[in-house]
Amino acid sequence: MTNNIKNAELFSLFWENSKINKRTILKFAKKLDEDARTARSVSQIFYPTEDLLLSKPKDKIAQLMSERKSTRAFTNFAFSEKQLGSLFHAFRLKETTSRLLPSAGGKYPIEVYAFLFNVQGGLNKQITYYNPDSHSLSIVAKCPDWDEVKESFGLKLKGQPAVFFIFIAIPERTIDKYGERGGRFILTEAGHYAQNLALRLALEKLGGVISGALYDDEIKKLLNLQNTNALVTLGFACGNFKQ
Ligand SMILES: Cc1cc2nc3c(=O)[nH]c(=O)nc-3n(C[C@H](O)[C@H](O)[C@H](O)COP(=O)(O)O)c2cc1C
């Protein structure tokens, strides 16, 4: 299953070469092991001048940003409908025409899907698509059990996530305007979505972690997107975290 994006052949090639699957994960894991054995702490850039200290903000956003962290162990508490609404609100369309997120050229290539593994109410065990204009969900397919599919989600977790968000990109929206350069914008924008979600998780005192190692084609298949050029950019496992 290859992605062949018109007007961005090199981006398509880069995408194919960086896909994860049962075969490429072996090489990827080897690189991670090597890094764990050899990596030192990240060095700071240093200018030999006096440090000019800045004042520290003491507001709500600064507080939330300091509470954000990655957590990888979850309890089996289901998310309430209220918590679900709060998390998806990270991606909502504003009352006007723009979203709460920036987007190069206003092309909004990122779409949000979520596997609802453990939520209260009728949406439990559904795979859903988020409608940012009406702040609502559409059902895409039945959601398999976490244990059945966890390998494709590329994370080693303790317990199961309540919800697993997937940020999908429709590359043509951005590439048709920006060509190869648009590839950079798509990836940058996925990061904005992840950060917005991370802040709402901190607000809700919930836990979560980004997955950068999703098995691209397996996830596409689960979302019924296998015959499209959709790109699986990032995933985000969320749950009530275990202290
Ligand atoms: C693009 C990206 C990909 C990531 N992929 C993974 C991943 O595959 N598995 C994982 O356990 N953590 C992943 N993380 C989380 C980082 O390991 C984590 O952010 C980092 O260790 C700093 O810790 P903190 O988030 O608690 O501040 C990823 C983070 C980013 C931004």
Side-chain angles (χ1 to χ4, degrees):
M1 215 182 303
T2 55
N3 281 98
N4 192 5
I5 307 156
K6 229 174 79 198
N7 301 324
E9 283 168 32
L10 295 176
F11 179 66
S12 299
L13 192 62
F14 149 73
W15 200 266
E16 282 308 311
N17 280 332
S18 56
K19 274 187 174 174
I20 296 223
N21 55 41
K22 280 182 195 228
R23 189 172 48 82
T24 59
I25 192 72
L26 300 174
K27 205 167 155 197
F28 188 65
K30 207 168 150 208
K31 273 208 75 48
L32 299 193
D33 284 347
E34 262 171 42
D35 182 73
R37 263 185 281 113
T38 56
R40 279 171 288 143
S41 59
V42 180
S43 59
Q44 287 267 297
I45 291 177
F46 173 73
Y47 288 99
T49 64
E50 193 188 343
D51 281 346
L52 303 166
L53 292 178
L54 296 165
S55 68
K56 286 187 186 147
K58 290 196 183 90
D59 50 40
K60 181 103 181 165
I61 292 187
Q63 180 64 26
L64 277 181
M65 287 166 85
S66 72
E67 284 168 17
R68 184 218 61 81
K69 62 174 188 246
S70 300
T71 57
R72 298 172 181 82
F74 301 123
T75 68
N76 57 7
F77 280 107
F79 279 1
S80 67
E81 288 179 29
K82 196 157 168 255
Q83 286 171 322
L84 209 55
S86 166
L87 298 186
F88 275 106
H89 197 267
F91 324 116
R92 191 181 64 90
L93 197 78
K94 274 200 247 172
E95 303 309 328
T96 55
T97 49
S98 64
R99 296 194 191 186
L100 300 179
L101 294 136
S103 175
K107 297 295 182 184
Y108 300 102
I110 306 295
E111 297 285 355
V112 183
Y113 287 78
F115 289 74
L116 308 184
F117 288 111
N118 190 16
V119 302
Q120 291 169 10
L123 284 169
N124 194 36
K125 291 279 159 64
Q126 301 288 354
I127 300 174
T128 56
Y129 165 76
Y130 179 64
N131 302 295
D133 48 352
S134 51
H135 187 53
S136 64
L137 296 174
S138 298
I139 291 173
V140 172
K142 275 248 155 266
C143 179
D145 287 338
W146 170 246
D147 281 336
E148 255 177 75
V149 286
K150 62 182 175 191
E151 189 187 353
S152 305
F153 287 79
L155 281 177
K156 283 205 177 88
L157 301 174
K158 286 205 178 108
Q160 64 159 14
V163 174
F164 210 118
F165 289 90
I166 306 284
F167 304 123
I168 290 290
I170 313 295
E172 289 81 1
R173 291 186 191 160
T174 301
I175 300 269
D176 284 354
K177 176 167 181 176
Y178 296 108
E180 298 280 6
R181 184 94 186 166
R184 298 192 193 203
F185 299 156
I186 288 168
L187 296 179
T188 307
E189 290 183 35
H192 282 284
Y193 279 67
Q195 181 66 5
N196 260 23
L197 176 59
L199 293 180
R200 291 215 66 85
L201 282 169
L203 179 79
E204 294 291 338
K205 308 248 178 282
L206 295 170
V209 62
I210 293 179
S211 172
L214 297 166
Y215 285 25
D216 300 69
D217 293 340
E218 296 302 320
I219 297 290
K220 275 179 77 166
K221 230 184 275 167
L222 289 167
L223 296 174
N224 284 333
L225 294 171
Q226 63 271 38
N227 297 320
T228 72
N229 267 340
L231 308 177
V232 178
T233 64
L234 285 177
F236 208 135
C238 305
N240 284 279
F241 61 92
K242 239 183 187 153
Q243 299 286 2

